[in-house]
Each structure stands twice: as C-alpha cells, then as structure tokens.
C-alpha cells in the first residue's frame, strides 16, 4: 500500500508539472485539449489517493485492536507473576521462621563445638547422621563431662586448702625476715665499715632517692654507677624543709623580704620612685600587679626541696663537693661547687652558666623576657648538668654537638679543681716576689741559672682599674666565638649592652694580675716594666696571656714614638717578648703543666735580661750575632743543650 501511494503521488506531481508547462505554451488550441486530458487524469489520481488513504486508516484500526489484545494478555501474565512472587516470599518467610525456631532450654547449655565433639567423643556417638540423634549424643557427652569435672573440682578444693595452709606458713616466715635481717645488719655494721662498703647507708639513700624528681634521680644514678665502676664518688641525698635560696632574705627586723630579680632591676617601670602623696586606685592596682608579677618570677626560680650532693675525690688528693638542684618551674638543673667559686665555668666550650638553656622543656614567659640567669643564685644552669640529668633536648643552633660522658664530666671537674689548687699555690708564692721566679725542677734546664730583672710586685687587679685599660688595645687571639648577651629592650643602657656583647665566653671568669719588674734600665729602656697577666678559668688548658706596660697607668706611651724616639724600638722589642711568652707557651709545659704561669713569668724575666743586655754579665753567654733580621730582633730563645741564646 505504501508503494501504491508513492506511485499515485508521483503521477499527480507529473500531471501538475505538465499543466504548468502547457499553460506556458503559445498554442491555445492544443493547450485546451491537453488541459482537459490532464484534468481527467488528475481527478482519477485523486480518487485513487483517497481510496488508499481510507485503506491505510482501516489497517491502522486493525493494528490497534491487536495491540490492545496483546496488552491485556501481558497484564494478565504480570498479575500471575506477582501472585507467584508473593506466594514464594510467604513460603520463604515461613521456612526461615521454622529454621530460626529458638529452643530456649537447649540454648542455655554450652556445648563444645561439633568438630571438637567428633575428635573427642566415641565413634558410635560422633558418626550419627541424623541431626536429632547427633544433638542428643552431644548432650549425653556433655553430661558425662560435667559430672567428671565436678569430681575434679572437689579434689582441687581439697588441694587448695592445703596450699593455703602452706602459704600462710610461708608468709609468717617471710614476715619474720625483716627483723632477722635487721639483726644481721646490726651485727655486720662493724664489718661493713671495715671493708669500706656500708650497704646499710646505701639502702637508706636508695629509699630517699624514691622521692627525687626524675632529673635529679638520673644524676644520682649516673654518678653512683661511675663511683661503683671507678671509685672516688660519694653520693648523698638531702631534704630541706625551707625554700632553697630563691631570692628572699630577711630585713633588720627579721621579716622576710623579697630580693629583686635582675629583670626587676632592669625594668624602667620598677625603677620609678613612688610619690609620697596618696596614690590613686588605678596606680595602687598597677603596683599590686607588679608585686604579683615579682612574686611569680621568684616562684619560677624556686628549687625542689630535695637536693643531690656528690663528693668527688681523685687519687692525687683532689676533693670537691657538688650540689645539684632542680628548678621545677623551668625544668632546669643547677649545680654548685661548694668552697670553689666560678670553678665550673667553661668546663666545656661556651658553657658559662650565665644563660638559661634555650632548649628547656618548659619555656616559660619569664625566659622569653629574660634569658640571663639571676646572678644572686648560687647554682648555675650549666649545659653539662642538663646532659647529666637526661635533659637532652635538641638544639637547632648546635646540630652536630656531641654530649660528654659521665666519666668525662667527672674527670674534667677533678682536673679543674687540681689546676685551681696549683694556681692558688703559685699565686701565693708569687705574692712573696721570689728571685728568680721559682719553676719546676724538670723545667730549670729551660732557663739560665741566674737572673738580673727582679719581680718586685705582684697583685690581683680588677678590670675597671686604669692599668688594665691597655687590655683593650691587645686582646689575646681566641678561636672561640663571641658570646652575645641577649639584652632586654628599654631595660639597660646601650653602653652596657655593647660592653657585654663584645665579651667572649672564653674571657668569662678570668682573673687579672699585675706584676712589676725592675731592670737595670740600660740601652734607654725603662727601669720599671709592668705586665698585666690574664689567667683564664680553664687554666692550664689555655695559657695565661701577658701584656707588657712601660709605665703604670699609661697606655699611649708604648705606641707613641713621638714622645720618646726609643719607644718605637722598645715597643717592637716588647711585642717580640710578648709573642715569645704567649705564642710559644706550650714549650714551657715540661715537667708539670700546672706550673705554666711560673714558667711564663720566668721566661719573661729571662727576656727582659736579654733586652737590657744584663744576661751577658750574669751568665757569660755567647750570643754570636746579637740581632738578626729586618726588625733587628734579639735572640730570646735559650738552648738548654748548648747553654746559648739563639734566634727563632
């Protein structure tokens, strides 16, 4: 039908085209005939097209009826499917309900697993295939096992009673052991003292150690272990009821009075004088806040009531007592060397004990404002004390710094004490101005037997005296870095900050001495020559540094060649003597390094004799060439083999 409709439509289009072409022709007679014929054809084709259209609508109606029939059939089938699914779900629910039927009484019985039942039960019971019979067999087996366990329980109860009686007897025996041990300890007290190992006192210390905080306990354990291994260490734990020196003192009336902290003295707001007039409420509140803040700062530096004392002794007779304390608020350990002031400073490089460790666990607000440890407190927070206490926090400024061992710390302390005692003995002898300066027996070959220059004065001076001003012109070369002081803003003068920042940690704790030599004054040299000696805290590891002065309280005369023509030559010779005494100090460590100061003074005395020419008369030495080089330097080196002086 579709093909017929397409052919009829094509014929209609052809007839329409012919009609258009005929109307465009010029022949009127033929045009009318052709148009009539074409009109008949068009009428036929239109009638045929109408018939075909009617037939298509009839076919469409037939298809619609067939579709409706199929729809109704599908709906019936779907309804039947839903009914079947509902029945299936209902049956499944019933099956699940039947299978999940709960047997309450049988649930109360705790049976062993089926696999365990098959492994332990008899074959006749475990090989049953019927589930009900198998369950009954399991119940019977469980009943037999429980009866057997009841019999075993009765036997165990009887054994328990016997064990309890035996335990009670043993407890009574153990309870009597302490009294028996006390009796044995009292009986062996004399024997312990004879052998030098008093175990009783050690146990008492261990009991008291339980009350120590962790850092102090670590120090106690480390030093006691060192003493057990190498000897020479005696430990003691003390408990103080009163506060350790935390910045408080008593006034004349006996009342407690707070000592101002360093930060309080530096704060400009606390240096203001109070007016005698009545203050306003706001000003009173401000004063109250300042007092509360000061009390809080004092509490920060409060020490733990328990302290650790360590007595270190060496085979050479060195004896020193160290006292360790813990500042709980800062988690910092401080150490004090009793009867030895500034003994432990710079025990290790850049460890002066002036600053609080910047890597402490509890970095409080007080440390942010003031990193300088208060100077009035006796204990100092040395870094090695933190390492010994186990407070080893990472310091980003020192990534590759290795921590010393306990043995190294103890040996350094004993070496420092021995060096300071030897230094004190030398200073006592030098105060008597011996002539010539005494040296060690093994070092006498390094110097001539006689001397003309005489030490007539030796005294200790402070850094603010005029004679020490010369030190600012000639500082000893030191490879140690400069220890910059962390000053607080608006609390100190700029001059103080610059002076402190220019100080090196290697100069901390140094002592200054001034000596005076009398010479013959020949060759235009002064008769009186003064020397300033810097003795550092780590003597004799670092040799004392000598600085020559021509006149007391005079700095410019040495370097002022216009004042006296001879001073230009003298200053050169003095610099050569200074280099001979300072730069070549290691040559004088022969015999006993602890006498290095005396050896350096003796060399200075010898060089002054060479400078004035008095050595020729005193010892009849043959110099050869007296002066050599562009600077015309003298021969200051004494050869002990040839007993002659030579140039370097």
């Amino acid at each position: 039908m579709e093909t017929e409709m397409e052919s009829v439509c094509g014929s209609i289009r052809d007839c329409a085209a012919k009609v258009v072409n005929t109307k465009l022709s010029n022949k009127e007679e033929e045009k009318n005939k052709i148009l009539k014929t074409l009109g008949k054809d068009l009428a036929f084709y239109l009638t045929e097209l109408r018939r075909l259209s009617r037939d298509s609508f009839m076919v469409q109606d037939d298809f619609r009826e067939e579709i409706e029939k199929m729809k109704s059939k599908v709906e019936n089938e779907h309804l039947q499917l839903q009914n079947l699914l509902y029945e299936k779900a209902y049956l499944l629910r019933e099956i699940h309900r039947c299978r999940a039927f709960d047997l309450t009484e049988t649930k109360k019985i705790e049976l062993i697993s089926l696999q365990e039942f098959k492994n332990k039960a008899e074959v006749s019971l475990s090989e049953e295939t019927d589930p009900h019979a198998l369950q009954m067999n399991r119940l019977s087996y469980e009943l037999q096992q429980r009866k057997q366990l009841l019999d075993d329980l009765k036997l165990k109860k009887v054994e328990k009673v016997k064990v309890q009686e035996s335990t009670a007897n043993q407890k009574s025996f153990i309870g009597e052991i302490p009294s028996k041990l006390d009796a044995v300890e009292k009986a062996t007290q004399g024997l312990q003292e004879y052998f030098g190992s008093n175990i009783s006192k050690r146990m008492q210390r261990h009991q008291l150690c339980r009350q120590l905080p962790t850092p102090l306990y670590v120090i106690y354990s480390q030093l006691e272990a060192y003493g057990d291994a190498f000897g020479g260490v005696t430990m003691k734990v003390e408990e103080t009821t009163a506060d350790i020196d935390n910045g408080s003192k008593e006034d004349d009336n006996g009342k407690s009075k707070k000592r101002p902290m360093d930060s309080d003295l530096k704060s400009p707001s606390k240096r203001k004088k109070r007016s005698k007039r009545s203050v306003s409420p706001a000003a009173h509140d401000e004063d109250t806040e300042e007092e509360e803040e000061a009390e809080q700062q004092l509490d920060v530096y409060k020490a733990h009531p328990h302290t650790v004392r360590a007595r270190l002794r060496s085979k050479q007779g060195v004896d020193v007592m160290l006292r360790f304390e813990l500042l709980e608020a800062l988690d910092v350990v401080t150490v004090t060397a009793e009867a030895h002031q500034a003994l432990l400073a710079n025990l290790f490089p850049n460890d002066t004990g002036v600053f609080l460790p910047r890597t402490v666990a509890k970095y409080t607000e007080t440390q942010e404002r003031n990193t300088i440890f208060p100077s009035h407190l006796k204990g100092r927070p040395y870094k090695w004390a933190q390492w010994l206490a186990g407070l080893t926090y990472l310091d980003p400024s020192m990534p590759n710094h290795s921590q010393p061992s306990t043995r190294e710390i103890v040996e350094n302390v004993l070496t420092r004490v021995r060096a300071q005692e030897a230094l004190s003995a030398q200073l006592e002898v030098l105060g008597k101005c011996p002539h010539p300066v005494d040296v060690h027996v093994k070092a006498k070959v390094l110097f001539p037997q006689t001397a003309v220059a005489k030490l007539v004065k030796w005294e200790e001076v402070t850094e603010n005296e005029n004679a020490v001003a010369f030190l600012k012109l000639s500082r000893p070369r030191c490879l140690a870095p400069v220890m910059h002081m962390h000053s607080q803003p608006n609390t100190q003068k700029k001059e103080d900050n610059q002076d402190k920042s220019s100080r090196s940690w290697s100069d901390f704790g140094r002592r200054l001495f001034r000596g005076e030599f009398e010479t013959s004054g020949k060759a235009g040299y002064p008769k009186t020559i003064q020397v300033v000696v810097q003795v550092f805290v780590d003597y004799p590891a670092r040799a004392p540094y000598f600085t020559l002065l021509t006149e007391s309280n005079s700095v410019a005369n040495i370097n002022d060649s216009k004042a006296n023509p001879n001073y230009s030559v003298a200053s050169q010779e003095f610099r050569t003597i200074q280099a001979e005494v300072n730069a070549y100090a290691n040559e004088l460590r022969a015999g006993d390094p602890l006498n290095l100061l005396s050896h350096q003074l003796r060399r200075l005395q010898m060089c002054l004799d060479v400078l004035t020419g008095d050595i020729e008369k005193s010892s009849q030495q043959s110099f050869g060439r007296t002066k050599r080089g562009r600077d015309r330097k003298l021969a200051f080196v004494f050869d002990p083999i040839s007993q002659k002086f030579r140039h370097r």
Side-chain angles (χ1 to χ4, degrees):
M1 183 178 296
E2 183 178 357
T3 306
E4 292 179 358
M5 290 183 70
E6 290 179 355
S7 63
V8 170
C9 291
S11 300
I12 292 174
R13 283 194 291 271
D14 293 340
C15 290
K18 290 179 180 180
V19 170
V20 173
N21 293 332
T22 303
K23 285 185 177 182
L24 295 176
S25 64
N26 297 327
K27 297 177 181 182
E28 295 294 335
E29 296 178 358
E30 295 178 0
K31 183 189 300 185
N32 293 330
K33 293 180 181 181
I34 294 172
L35 290 173
K36 289 181 180 180
T37 305
L38 292 173
K40 293 178 181 179
D41 293 339
L42 285 172
F44 174 75
Y45 289 133
L46 291 172
T47 304
E48 187 68 18
L49 182 62
R50 185 178 297 172
R51 181 184 66 78
L52 292 173
S53 177
R54 184 173 59 253
D55 292 341
S56 66
F57 280 112
M58 293 178 66
V59 171
Q60 183 179 3
D61 292 339
D62 294 339
F63 275 111
R64 284 180 178 175
E65 290 178 1
E66 186 176 358
I67 288 171
E68 291 295 333
K69 291 179 181 179
M70 296 299 294
K71 249 183 186 184
S72 61
K73 183 177 179 181
V74 169
E75 288 179 357
N76 292 333
E77 296 292 337
H78 181 70
L79 183 61
Q80 292 178 2
L81 176 62
Q82 294 296 327
N83 292 336
L84 290 175
L85 291 175
Y86 178 76
E87 292 179 1
K88 178 183 177 181
Y90 175 75
L91 293 175
L92 289 175
R93 286 196 301 271
E94 292 298 325
I95 292 171
H96 178 71
R97 184 179 300 173
C98 292
R99 288 179 176 177
F101 182 73
D102 190 11
L103 297 175
T104 307
E105 296 300 327
T106 56
K107 285 280 186 176
K108 295 179 180 179
I109 302 174
E110 296 180 359
L111 300 176
I112 61 177
S113 64
L114 181 61
Q115 185 64 32
E116 187 178 357
F117 171 72
K118 291 181 179 181
N119 294 334
K120 294 182 178 181
E122 299 178 358
V123 179
S124 59
L125 297 176
S126 59
E127 290 184 352
E128 187 65 45
T129 57
D130 185 16
H132 178 69
L134 181 62
Q135 183 70 13
M136 294 301 296
N137 292 339
R138 292 179 66 184
L139 292 173
S140 301
Y141 178 77
E142 185 69 24
L143 180 61
Q144 295 175 2
Q145 292 294 322
R146 292 194 178 191
K147 288 180 179 180
Q148 184 178 357
L149 290 175
L150 285 175
D151 296 337
D152 294 342
L153 179 61
K154 293 178 181 179
L155 295 176
K156 294 297 181 183
K157 286 183 177 180
V158 175
E159 292 180 1
K160 178 182 177 182
V161 173
K162 294 180 180 179
V163 171
Q164 286 178 346
E165 293 177 356
S166 175
T167 303
N169 296 332
Q170 293 178 0
K171 282 184 177 180
S172 61
F173 174 75
I174 292 174
E176 296 174 356
I177 288 178
S179 59
K180 294 181 180 180
L181 289 177
D182 292 339
V184 173
E185 182 179 354
K186 291 179 180 179
T188 59
Q189 190 69 33
L191 192 61
Q192 294 179 21
E193 295 177 357
Y194 177 77
F195 285 106
S197 58
N198 199 325
I199 302 176
S200 303
K201 293 182 179 179
R202 184 166 183 169
M203 295 302 296
Q204 293 176 1
R205 290 199 306 269
H206 287 181
Q207 291 293 334
L208 190 58
C209 282
R210 297 181 180 180
Q211 303 177 7
L212 289 175
T214 302
L216 295 182
Y217 182 79
V218 172
I219 292 177
Y220 181 89
S221 303
Q222 294 273 15
L223 295 179
E224 187 181 44
Y226 175 84
D228 294 340
F230 303 99
V233 178
T234 304
M235 302 301 300
K236 185 178 181 181
V237 179
E238 293 184 350
E239 181 179 5
T240 56
T241 56
D243 294 342
I244 307 299
D245 186 9
N246 58 354
S248 62
K249 60 180 181 179
E250 294 184 355
D251 56 9
D252 298 337
N253 297 328
K255 298 181 180 180
S256 178
K257 182 180 179 181
K258 299 287 185 178
R259 181 184 298 176
M261 306 296 292
D262 290 352
S263 58
D264 299 337
L265 298 176
K266 298 174 184 177
S267 177
S269 62
K270 298 177 183 179
R271 291 200 306 263
K272 295 180 180 179
K273 297 181 179 179
R274 294 184 179 180
S275 175
K276 296 183 180 180
R277 301 176 182 177
S278 59
V279 295
S280 61
H284 178 71
D285 295 341
E286 183 179 355
D287 294 340
T288 304
E289 293 178 358
E290 291 179 357
E291 292 177 358
E292 293 178 355
E293 183 179 359
E295 292 178 358
Q296 292 177 359
Q297 291 180 357
L298 290 174
D299 292 337
V300 166
Y301 297 104
K302 185 178 180 180
H304 192 273
H306 290 85
T307 60
V308 174
R309 288 179 180 268
R311 184 180 182 183
L312 310 181
R313 290 178 302 235
S314 66
K315 296 179 180 179
Q316 294 79 13
V318 178
D319 191 350
V320 61
M321 179 69 75
L322 301 181
R323 177 180 177 180
F324 296 91
E325 298 176 342
L326 175 66
L327 306 183
E328 294 181 286
L330 299 177
D331 200 17
V332 172
V333 174
T334 61
V335 58
T336 308
E338 299 182 359
H340 294 83
Q341 296 296 333
L343 172 69
L344 306 177
N346 284 341
L347 197 63
F348 294 92
N350 199 6
D351 191 7
T352 60
V354 176
F355 304 111
L356 279 170
R358 295 186 61 83
T359 54
V360 293
K362 300 177 182 178
Y363 196 81
T364 61
E365 182 182 359
T366 304
Q367 286 182 272
E368 295 177 359
R369 293 198 308 266
N370 185 15
T371 57
I372 302 177
F373 195 76
S375 59
H376 66 273
L377 297 180
K378 295 181 180 179
R380 311 310 301 170
Y382 297 109
K383 295 178 183 178
W384 60 266
Q386 318 308 316
W387 300 333
L388 190 62
L391 303 176
T392 54
Y393 307 105
L394 297 178
D395 189 353
S397 63
M398 304 175 67
N400 299 323
H401 189 75
S402 59
Q403 299 176 1
S405 61
T406 305
R407 181 176 182 179
E408 184 178 359
I409 292 173
V410 174
E411 290 179 352
N412 285 5
V413 172
L414 293 175
T415 303
R416 176 67 60 82
V417 174
R418 183 184 176 191
Q420 293 299 319
E421 290 178 353
L423 178 62
S424 300
Q426 292 181 75
L427 295 176
E428 184 178 357
V429 174
L430 291 175
K432 300 177 182 179
C433 300
H435 181 74
V437 177
D438 293 338
V439 296
H440 194 266
V441 177
K442 295 182 179 180
K444 288 185 177 181
V445 296
L446 301 177
F447 311 100
Q449 296 181 358
T450 59
V452 176
K454 185 177 181 181
L455 179 65
V456 296
K457 187 177 182 181
W458 179 264
E459 61 180 355
E460 186 171 5
V461 296
T462 57
E463 296 193 19
N464 57 0
E465 294 188 15
N466 296 330
V468 190
F470 184 75
L471 297 178
K472 297 182 179 179
L473 298 179
S474 58
R475 287 178 55 84
R477 294 184 59 188
C478 180
L479 299 179
V482 175
M483 177 184 64
H484 296 285
M485 306 287 284
H486 300 278
S487 57
Q488 300 180 9
N490 299 327
T491 58
Q492 288 182 328
K493 296 182 180 180
K494 295 183 179 180
E495 294 79 2
D496 296 339
N497 293 336
Q498 292 176 358
D499 181 66
K500 288 187 178 180
S501 61
S502 63
R503 291 287 303 276
S504 170
W505 62 262
S506 58
D507 294 340
F508 183 83
R510 68 177 178 181
R511 299 173 65 183
L512 301 178
F513 298 90
R514 179 169 55 190
E516 185 175 328
F517 285 90
E518 284 187 357
T519 64
S520 61
K522 296 181 180 180
Y525 296 107
K527 292 184 178 181
T528 301
I529 298 178
Q530 294 186 0
V531 59
V532 176
V533 184
Q534 304 178 51
V535 180
F536 304 99
V537 69
D538 52 352
Y539 173 88
R542 208 154 31 117
Y545 190 85
F546 284 67
T547 305
L548 293 180
L549 302 175
T550 56
E551 295 180 7
S552 61
N553 301 333
S554 178
V555 177
N557 287 339
I558 289 182
N559 296 324
D560 189 2
S561 60
K562 296 181 181 180
N564 190 343
N566 292 331
Y567 277 125
S568 60
V569 180
S571 61
Q572 178 64 30
E573 298 296 344
F574 288 153
R575 284 194 290 269
T576 305
I577 293 175
Q578 285 185 185
E580 186 70 26
V581 176
N582 296 324
Y584 303 100
N586 290 332
E587 299 176 356
L588 305 176
R589 297 182 184 270
D592 187 4
L594 299 178
N595 291 322
L596 180 59
L597 176 61
S598 299
H599 295 172
Q600 286 182 287
L601 281 171
R602 182 66 184 91
R603 172 168 282 186
L604 175 61
Q605 191 177 31
M606 179 187 69
C607 292
L608 292 178
D609 288 343
V610 174
L611 180 65
T612 57
D614 295 327
I615 194 67
E616 296 180 355
K617 293 184 178 181
S618 61
S619 58
Q620 301 296 329
Q621 301 294 331
S622 176
F623 284 86
R625 294 177 60 184
T626 306
K627 297 184 179 180
R628 180 182 297 177
R630 295 178 57 185
D631 297 335
R632 310 300 295 165
K633 294 182 179 180
L634 294 172
F636 291 115
V637 182
F638 181 74
D639 188 1
I641 299 176
S642 63
Q643 296 292 312
K644 295 182 180 181
F645 286 85
R646 59 178 176 82
H647 295 83
R648 288 196 180 272

